[in-house]
Amino acid sequence: MHLILLGPPGSGKGTQAERLCKQWALPHVASGDLFRDHLKRETDLGKLARSYMDIGQLVPDDVTIAMVKERLSRSDCRGGAILDGFPRTRAQAEALDLILQELGQQLTGVLFMAVPDDVLIERLSGRRICLQCQAPYHVAFSPPRETKTCDLCGGELCQRDDDQPETIKARLDVYQQQTTPLIEFYQVANLLHEVDANMDIDQVTDALLTIIHSLQP
Ligand code: AP5
Ligand code: MG
Ligand code: ZN
């Protein structure tokens, strides 16, 4: 089962992917998390990615596609994966079709998580993530048991560099311009399922699970 979580920054892709992956024992393939891991290790790709991420722009398609292709080709993705934050452009969506074709796999569905902009800003402004495992928290909506410590791995929590007001605005603009065309792309392919993601975290999970169950043979 290969699922895509499609949605604006702050729509809850990372939060929900973590839950869905646990339920189906699937790997969580999040392009943003992969880039942040490169940033932390100070690889050449990390240095390149930082120059785009810091200003809320997309990392160029060629390097992004190559990174995700390598990840999806690993043996743990043989049974599927939950994709979070990829694809984000038409070129990436077309490349994903080819990658899955080469792997003898196909896309099961695309879950589009709809949330109004003012709610997104509130969510991103209060987000904290784990420096170690990247699990997302929110100071008000999803607080950790102990402030500053990840419930899952004990790692230290911090604010993402790109969760500053100007960068949030740039990311929302980039999403509007470059990623929203994918809604129609997947609608035409008959793969799109819209979820109202402006509900409590548990309610969104339930809505996603209902759809995913309906997609399974
Ligand atoms: P990426 O890391 O993918 O960031 P994003 O798309 O901007 O999405 P976010 O991670 O900000 O939001 P999310 O939907 O995961 O929300 P979350 O669950 O954390 O990308 C970062 C950068 O990397 C990009 O700007 C780009 O530069 C680069 N990049 C990545 N992928 C790329 C690609 N494919 N191509 C090119 N460049 C790429 O939730 C947000 C907050 O809300 C949390 O605090 C959470 O606790 C809270 N929350 C979640 N759900 C709810 C709810 N239902 N109610 C209340 N609060 C909630
Ligand atoms: Mg995320
Ligand atoms: Zn952690």
Side-chain angles (χ1 to χ4, degrees):
M1 182 165 71
H2 283 83
L3 293 170
I4 294 174
L5 295 183
L6 176 66
S11 55
K13 302 182 295 294
T15 302
Q16 299 297 335
E18 210 173 73
R19 292 166 162 227
L20 301 178
C21 286
K22 219 176 269 166
Q23 173 105 6
W24 273 282
L26 287 172
H28 177 194
V29 176
S31 42
D33 289 356
L34 293 173
F35 282 132
R36 276 183 293 278
D37 186 53
H38 277 278
L39 247 60
K40 201 163 75 180
R41 292 186 285 121
E42 297 184 347
T43 65
D44 288 343
L45 176 57
K47 286 175 198 153
L48 174 83
R50 182 185 292 282
S51 61
Y52 294 92
M53 293 170 81
D54 279 352
I55 52 169
Q57 297 296 316
L58 296 184
V59 181
D61 282 335
D62 53 347
V63 290
T64 304
I65 291 166
M67 176 183 73
V68 174
K69 182 175 181 178
E70 188 279 323
R71 179 67 191 89
L72 287 176
S73 306
R74 288 194 220 157
S75 59
D76 64 332
C77 292
R78 233 177 270 152
I82 310 260
L83 285 155
D84 154 8
F86 182 93
R88 259 172 149 90
T89 62
R90 198 185 165 96
Q92 291 180 15
E94 285 166 354
L96 177 64
D97 280 347
L98 285 178
I99 294 168
L100 291 178
Q101 217 171 38
E102 280 175 22
L103 293 169
Q105 307 270 9
Q106 58 185 16
L107 206 50
T108 313
V110 179
L111 304 160
F112 167 49
M113 304 178 56
V115 181
D117 273 7
D118 53 332
V119 177
L120 296 173
I121 293 166
E122 197 184 9
R123 287 188 187 178
L124 293 172
S125 316
R127 172 164 60 187
R128 301 290 181 270
I129 65 160
C130 171
L131 275 176
Q132 218 153 277
C133 76
Q134 309 223 29
Y137 295 87
H138 190 282
V139 291
F141 307 138
S142 178
R145 282 193 292 270
E146 279 175 55
T147 354
K148 293 193 177 170
T149 307
C150 175
D151 292 351
L152 301 176
C153 76
E156 187 191 338
L157 302 186
C158 69
Q159 196 164 18
R160 251 169 64 173
D161 288 341
D162 59 352
D163 279 344
Q164 301 300 328
E166 326 76 67
T167 326
I168 290 175
K169 186 175 177 311
R171 286 159 59 205
L172 292 173
D173 288 346
V174 165
Y175 169 79
Q176 272 307 327
Q177 284 161 21
Q178 303 195 48
T179 307
T180 52
L182 294 188
I183 298 169
E184 201 194 330
F185 179 88
Y186 286 120
Q187 228 157 20
V188 170
N190 216 7
L191 286 165
L192 195 86
H193 304 270
E194 181 167 340
V195 176
D196 175 10
N198 187 19
M199 304 188 284
D200 287 351
I201 295 177
D202 286 341
Q203 289 175 306
V204 177
T205 307
D206 287 345
L208 291 168
L209 288 176
T210 304
I211 294 173
I212 298 169
H213 281 301
S214 77
L215 296 176
Q216 292 201 304

